[in-house]
Amino acid sequence: MTTSQLQWAEPTEIRNPTSAPIAPLLAARWSPKGFDPTHVLSDEQLTSIVEAARWAPSMQNSQPWRFIVGRRGTETFAKIENGLMAFNQGWTSRASALVVFCRTPVSADGKTLPYADYDLGQAAAHFTVQAAKLGLSLRQMGGANLAAIAESFALPESIAPKSVAALGVYSDDAGSIDEKTRQADAAERTRLPLDELFAVPAE
Ligand SMILES: Cc1cc2nc3c(=O)[nH]c(=O)nc-3n(C[C@H](O)[C@H](O)[C@H](O)COP(=O)(O)O)c2cc1C
């Protein structure tokens, strides 16, 4: 598959009030709840995003990540959404796709992978940044019954769901996004001050 049908998107709105210059894509990334309910995720977009995750670093190149992706309107989407906590189900129905980030706790040759969670998080970050490069947003969710999701897909023990994400195109269109969601998405964006991130002073 070529990438010729992919549209690279440069950030149109830098939402993050950074205290030092950073890559525009990162300065623009945020996690909306308002998604355009008409947007359809293309095969090219999905392949590009998963390809980016594929190239994340991992301990001994163990690549302990697997994904479940269901586009809106599919049985897979419904199964994932059914496994979400009620406070997430309200807004996820408009997402273009729901994604389950799964971890493989052992390698192909049966060795345990102590950094599997850490590595999965890095794959999720790659996934998120590549989505941003395509003009898409992710909102990750811990508010899910992961055991129920594993059961609904009859996953083997070797594939453990760790988090869920909604993927789609941000929208604040009052015609399709409720006021509460629009307000939540417009909230001030905050972070710990930069100084607090140094466990000991940098030298
Ligand atoms: C592991 C994880 C779990 C999260 N769980 C939820 C959730 O259940 N529901 C939700 O609306 N947002 C959830 N979020 C989104 C965070 O609240 C959000 O990333 C955080 O407030 C920072 O905002 P930003 O991503 O826009 O910078 C989660 C994010 C992560 C990484």
Side-chain angles (χ1 to χ4, degrees):
M1 179 181 293
T2 69
T3 55
S4 59
Q5 288 156 301
L6 278 178
Q7 297 277 327
W8 296 128
E10 294 311 321
T12 50
E13 188 188 9
I14 302 291
R15 284 216 177 195
N16 301 335
T18 62
S19 52
I22 65 173
L25 209 55
L26 297 175
R29 188 217 59 83
W30 65 290
S31 306
K33 290 184 175 177
F35 286 104
D36 175 354
T38 66
H39 174 260
V40 175
L41 180 71
S42 72
D43 287 344
E44 289 78 13
Q45 288 171 324
L46 177 59
T47 306
S48 171
I49 292 167
V50 174
E51 179 70 9
R54 179 174 172 240
W55 285 100
S58 61
M59 189 196 76
Q60 295 177 345
N61 202 17
S62 50
Q63 305 163 67
W65 43 69
R66 299 291 183 273
F67 310 106
I68 300 172
V69 181
R71 290 181 175 85
R72 190 180 54 252
T74 64
E75 193 184 334
T76 298
F77 186 102
K79 276 189 189 175
I80 300 170
E81 195 171 38
N82 285 340
L84 296 176
M85 301 291 175
F87 63 86
N88 283 324
Q89 284 175 334
W91 55 271
T92 46
S93 58
R94 290 178 295 254
S96 306
L98 290 176
V99 181
V100 185
F101 290 108
C102 304
R103 178 203 67 180
T104 58
V106 292
S107 62
D109 58 1
K111 292 197 184 120
T112 57
L113 298 172
Y115 284 90
D117 283 348
Y118 184 93
D119 292 340
L120 175 62
Q122 302 203 73
H126 273 223
F127 197 106
T128 303
V129 173
Q130 185 62 26
K133 186 68 186 167
L134 301 177
L136 301 166
S137 298
L138 246 78
R139 188 172 182 98
Q140 300 183 44
M141 288 169 272
N145 183 340
L146 298 172
I149 290 175
E151 196 181 332
S152 70
F153 288 102
L155 295 179
E157 268 185 34
S158 58
I159 299 182
K162 297 301 287 185
S163 66
V164 182
L167 170 66
V169 170
Y170 166 62
S171 171
D172 66 351
D173 176 12
S176 52
I177 313 295
D178 57 277
E179 183 57 24
K180 190 174 156 215
T181 299
R182 282 154 44 86
Q183 278 183 12
D185 281 349
E188 186 190 0
R189 299 191 46 70
T190 61
R191 283 298 191 264
L192 294 171
L194 194 55
D195 297 353
E196 279 190 36
L197 304 189
F198 294 93
V200 298
E203 287 194 315

